[in-house]
Amino acid sequence: MSLKKSGKACTSQIAAIGLVLLASFSMSCSSKEPATASARKSDGVPVSVAVVGQKDVPSEIQVIGNVEAYATILVRARVTGQLTRVHFREGDYVKKGDLLFSLDPRPFEAQLNQAEANTARDEAQLSLAQANLNRDLAQQRYNQEQNERFVRLFQDGIISKDQAEQTRTSADTISHVIIADQAAVRSAEASVGAGRAAVANAKVQLSYTTISSPIDGRTGNLAMKEGNLVNANTTDLVTINQVKPIYVTFSVPEANLLAIKRYMAQGKLPVEASPQEGSAAKETGYLSFVDNTVDATTGTIKLKGTFTNDANLLWPGQFVRVALRLTTHSNALVVPNQAVQAGQEGVYVYVVKPDRSVEARAVITGSRVDEDIVIQSGLQPGETVVTEGHLRLAPGMRVQPRDEKGAILKEKKKES
């Protein structure tokens, strides 16, 4: 009897303990469920957001271009001589007409003096020939008159036939002398003309001993130093690049050619050139040249922009980022670049609804403008899109919107 009583007592104690544990477990579960539900209702995934904005967006073609000098002049000497002086320093800016080099002028001065002396001699010979011609012309007139007188005397029987023929022969002789005098005058005139041409050529050769800049530009490396002998038309002295204005050459795909021609018909197209990506320093010019042939190997067409280059940002041979602006779209929708995501069905953005749930919405994007991207369709102005935190999102999830500084944005209360 004692064993049976003790066994029943143990059984009742175990049952009581089980009931207590079951009650405590059910109480704990019932107390946790409301807390979890409320947490899910109030919490959300923290994300950064931005508002869909509007602004004027330029339609541009962005490529890499190369800077070219507006004009490049290779300076050479036109005469052979010794380089006596350089009138500039390497890298100086020079103006058109500025003196650059001087060669030894003495040999050319001597040639000029000799040519002038020869011309003076020829002019003297010309004067002598003209004097002889004038003298013989006077003698011809005298002989002609005497011949006519002797003919009348012969006809009157006063003089003999022989005397009359002598006077006629003298008149004929002086006529031939005059012809020779006239030839001598023409020869002297030709000699004087040749002498004057020699003087002019000597002056030109002497002028070549001073070399001036043919353009405004910047000088490069000096190839010859003072004291060296330079040869005519073969020795390079310096290269001058005209950098104000200046060209930027670039190529665009041939698919853009029709749009470029269409907008060019409306006026000059602006071109921006930036030496460094993201740099605020830019030069603005205009499209000045479209090549007449599409490069069949690359499918591109060559263009040129002309820039004033007042700030000297552009340098010949430099690679720059070029933006050819075709037109400007007013009030275009823009969002930050990082808001747009790529999926299997295309690009999309997460739109935050008023109840802070998110919706994946397909969009069609346009061109990029700095840190923003144009949205052609799929969004409305003022809507909120997620910019950071996409990996933890799924359609329908609630979010905690944060601004750029990380502060949680308060939920707007609905108007009653």
Side-chain angles (χ1 to χ4, degrees):
M1 293 293 292
S2 61
L3 290 175
K4 290 181 179 180
K5 290 182 179 179
S6 61
K8 291 181 179 178
C10 291
T11 303
S12 60
Q13 290 177 359
I14 292 172
I17 293 173
L19 292 174
V20 172
L21 292 176
L22 181 61
S24 61
F25 178 75
S26 61
M27 292 177 61
S28 62
C29 291
S30 61
S31 63
K32 287 182 179 180
E33 285 180 357
T36 304
S38 62
R40 288 179 179 175
K41 186 176 180 181
S42 60
D43 296 339
V45 178
V47 293
S48 297
V49 297
V51 177
V52 180
Q54 288 181 292
K55 65 179 180 180
D56 295 341
V57 176
S59 176
E60 297 179 339
I61 302 173
Q62 297 186 359
V63 293
I64 299 297
N66 183 252
V67 182
E68 291 182 4
Y70 194 80
T72 299
I73 302 297
L74 181 59
V75 179
R76 291 177 176 174
R78 295 188 179 184
V79 294
T80 299
Q82 185 182 26
L83 182 60
T84 57
R85 188 174 179 186
V86 178
H87 299 272
F88 67 96
R89 291 180 297 179
E90 295 174 306
D92 280 352
Y93 283 97
V94 293
K95 297 289 186 180
K96 182 178 180 180
D98 287 351
L99 184 61
L100 301 178
F101 301 98
S102 293
L103 304 180
D104 186 2
R106 292 174 297 176
F108 303 96
E109 290 173 347
Q111 292 177 8
L112 176 59
N113 293 334
Q114 182 180 3
E116 290 176 341
N118 292 336
T119 302
R121 180 196 60 195
D122 294 336
E123 289 174 345
Q125 292 291 338
L126 175 61
S127 298
L128 177 60
Q130 288 175 338
N132 291 336
L133 176 61
N134 293 333
R135 180 198 62 192
D136 293 336
L137 287 173
Q139 185 65 35
Q140 182 188 36
R141 288 192 297 271
Y142 171 75
N143 289 348
Q144 186 68 30
E145 292 173 357
Q146 189 179 24
N147 180 51
E148 292 175 356
R149 187 170 57 251
F150 272 57
V151 169
R152 290 193 299 271
L153 292 174
F154 171 71
Q155 291 175 350
D156 294 339
I158 299 174
I159 62 173
S160 65
K161 181 180 179 180
D162 184 61
Q163 289 177 321
E165 290 180 350
Q166 287 180 355
T167 56
R168 183 171 59 81
T169 301
S170 298
D172 293 339
T173 301
I174 197 65
S175 297
H176 293 291
V177 172
I178 289 173
I179 294 174
D181 291 342
Q182 290 173 342
V185 169
R186 290 195 296 270
S187 176
E189 289 175 343
S191 296
V192 170
R196 289 174 178 171
V199 169
N201 181 65
K203 289 181 179 180
V204 171
Q205 297 297 312
L206 180 60
S207 69
Y208 289 160
T209 59
T210 56
I211 304 173
S212 301
S213 175
I215 59 172
D216 296 344
R218 183 181 176 91
T219 59
N221 179 57
L222 184 62
M224 298 292 289
K225 306 297 182 181
E226 293 181 359
N228 284 285
L229 181 67
V230 298
N231 296 318
N233 301 318
T234 58
T235 304
D236 299 340
L237 299 177
V238 72
T239 299
I240 302 176
N241 284 330
Q242 185 174 355
V243 295
K244 293 181 180 180
I246 201 168
Y247 286 133
V248 173
T249 302
F250 55 98
S251 297
V252 300
E254 62 178 317
N256 297 315
L257 180 58
L258 292 178
I260 292 173
K261 292 169 62 177
R262 183 173 68 254
Y263 289 114
M264 280 184 66
Q266 302 174 8
K268 291 184 177 181
L269 299 183
V271 183
E272 286 188 351
S274 176
Q276 296 179 353
E277 184 176 2
S279 174
K282 296 180 180 179
E283 280 285 347
T284 301
Y286 63 93
L287 183 64
S288 58
F289 170 76
V290 179
D291 203 357
N292 59 0
T293 304
V294 174
D295 190 342
T297 58
T298 60
T300 59
I301 187 166
K302 183 179 180 181
L303 309 177
K304 280 187 180 181
T306 302
F307 298 79
T308 57
N309 198 28
D310 293 330
N312 293 319
L313 290 177
L314 305 179
W315 215 249
Q318 183 181 26
F319 287 97
V320 294
R321 299 185 66 85
V322 179
L324 172 62
R325 181 170 299 179
L326 302 179
T327 186
T328 301
H329 301 292
S330 301
N331 297 323
L333 299 181
V334 293
V335 297
N337 290 323
Q338 60 270 27
V340 179
Q341 302 295 306
Q344 295 180 351
E345 298 180 357
V347 293
Y348 65 95
V349 296
Y350 276 115
V351 179
V352 181
K353 297 180 179 180
D355 62 353
R356 291 192 175 181
S357 64
V358 293
E359 171 193 358
R361 188 180 300 174
V363 294
I364 298 177
T365 60
S367 60
R368 295 181 182 270
V369 184
D370 298 329
E371 300 297 326
D372 297 331
I373 187 169
V374 176
I375 302 298
Q376 295 180 351
S377 66
L379 293 176
Q380 297 296 326
E383 288 187 308
T384 303
V385 295
V386 177
T387 57
E388 291 183 6
H390 302 84
L391 296 178
R392 294 174 291 176
L393 293 181
M397 294 183 62
R398 289 179 57 84
V399 295
Q400 286 185 349
R402 299 176 183 269
D403 58 15
E404 296 178 354
K405 298 180 180 180
I408 298 176
L409 299 177
K410 295 182 179 179
E411 185 175 0
K412 296 181 180 180
K413 295 182 179 180
K414 296 182 180 179
E415 295 182 358
S416 57

